[in-house]
Amino acid sequence: MHPANAIDLLRTNPLDRAAARFLQRRQRAGELVRVRHGVYVERSAWDVLDRRSQYLVRMRAVIPLLRPGAVFVLDSAAAVHGCPRLGPWPDRVHVTVPGLDHDLHRVGLTVHSGGAVRTDRSFQGVRVADLAHTAVETARRGSLAGAVVALDHALRSGVEPRVLEELAAGVGPWGSVRLEQALAICDVRHESVGESYLAVRAAELGCPDMEPQHEFRFADGRVARVDFWLPREGIVVEFDGRQKYEDPAMLHGRTPEDTAWDEKRREDRVRARPEVNGFVRVYWEHVQHPERLRALFREHGVPCR
């Protein structure tokens, strides 16, 4: 069971005012966290949840308010699908109710009007928009980088590009330019959020086409795969995040020290190739601040505006 589903929700009951006042006193004392009006959770359980899990708890809290036929959409559907996110998770939950005349807003909840939404799973008994629909609708909102991150996640999860393109063709004009740009940049070969973010920044800086996940093959049979390759310039560009050296799923049983040593040896082998003229390591602070990335690229001979 996901931690967000295991945490107990403590709801006030208008028929038991004494119990409601008791929960309010515990919240004022710092023992409880109020996730919405009249709904609390134990602080000790809340504080160990990551931000996405806390958002899923907020979704559980609003379920009694939802109309029949409601479907979780946008950020709420993205949370269920495990979509990565560049910014913090919001407090507001989003659902749509087909046939509703206009949007409705309550504290921490927006009920969107609209037509039928494709669904492929449920969360706590409420249907959830499928990943393709969620990625496309998310891509119409927010930043270009966030749009590409969402679309790349959908592609890596098995959504076919043609499905995204068909959905994009059916949306209205609002956000369509950003969506078109994001579809041109997204690529199933982007293996991480950092690589998706870097691909967006490179496009914004006017860098030449960078080939994702290029493979260098050696005489001994070994293969070194790099994040991006600029064939005309002979330059390798790698996104280097701390997760590579800290996440157990990426360490594959190795220590961080072993991983760093293996990474150095791989880089040395790639640098020794005759077609390689440069090797650039990009860090999170570079993609967050485009001027730093521009300076880094110019320093290493990567063409950009």
Side-chain angles (χ1 to χ4, degrees), residues 5-198:
N5 293 328
I7 191 171
D8 290 330
L9 300 183
L10 308 175
R11 298 182 185 272
T12 58
N13 188 325
L15 300 180
D16 192 345
R17 296 182 180 178
R21 288 194 295 269
F22 176 68
L23 293 176
Q24 292 165 359
R25 288 196 298 270
R26 291 193 63 200
Q27 188 263 331
R28 288 194 295 268
E31 299 173 1
L32 301 179
V33 174
R34 188 174 71 174
V35 295
R36 67 163 290 105
H37 178 71
V39 186
Y40 304 84
V41 297
E42 297 285 350
R43 177 170 293 280
S44 58
W46 176 262
D47 287 345
V48 300
L49 297 177
D50 60 29
R51 299 304 184 191
R52 170 177 165 254
S53 298
Q54 291 177 349
Y55 183 75
L56 289 169
V57 173
R58 296 188 189 278
M59 291 169 58
R60 290 178 56 202
V62 305
I63 287 176
L65 305 177
L66 302 182
R67 300 184 181 191
V71 178
F72 283 123
V73 295
L74 301 176
D75 296 327
S76 302
V80 176
H81 288 291
C83 296
R85 188 179 181 88
L86 292 178
W89 286 94
D91 293 334
R92 181 166 293 276
V93 175
H94 295 271
V95 301
T96 187
V97 175
L100 195 67
D101 292 334
H102 58 275
D103 293 356
L104 301 175
H105 300 276
R106 302 186 64 170
V107 176
L109 172 66
T110 295
V111 182
H112 299 270
S113 59
V117 175
R118 301 173 10 154
T119 67
D120 61 357
R121 66 175 64 185
S122 62
F123 176 74
Q124 296 287 311
V126 179
R127 300 299 295 172
V128 178
D130 71 8
L131 180 54
H133 178 277
T134 300
V136 167
E137 289 301 317
T138 299
R140 298 173 66 197
R141 297 160 171 82
S143 67
L144 178 61
V148 174
V149 165
L151 294 171
D152 277 347
H153 175 76
L155 293 172
R156 289 194 301 268
S157 300
V159 176
E160 294 291 335
R162 63 171 182 79
V163 175
L164 298 176
E165 293 165 1
E166 290 170 0
L167 287 172
V171 303
W174 186 85
S176 60
V177 173
R178 182 187 300 108
L179 179 56
E180 181 180 356
Q181 293 169 332
L183 285 169
I185 298 171
C186 69
D187 195 307
V188 69
R189 293 173 293 176
H190 298 153
E191 293 188 338
S192 68
V193 173
E195 291 177 31
S196 299
Y197 205 171
L198 175 54

Side-chain angles (χ1 to χ4, degrees), residues 204-221:
E204 291 173 340
L205 293 177
C207 297
D209 292 339
M210 300 196 300
E211 177 188 339
Q213 302 305 317
H214 179 77
E215 291 185 346
F216 293 96
R217 297 184 178 274
F218 298 90
D220 60 5

Side-chain angles (χ1 to χ4, degrees), residues 205 286 289-296:
L205 293 177
H286 293 119
H289 303 283
E291 290 304 313
R292 295 183 185 179
L293 181 60
R294 189 196 312 275
L296 179 71

Side-chain angles (χ1 to χ4, degrees), residues 284-302:
W284 194 257
E285 57 264 29
H286 293 119
V287 293
Q288 286 184 306
H289 303 283
E291 290 304 313
R292 295 183 185 179
L293 181 60
R294 189 196 312 275
L296 179 71
F297 277 173
R298 287 187 174 274
E299 179 184 351
H300 288 84
V302 177

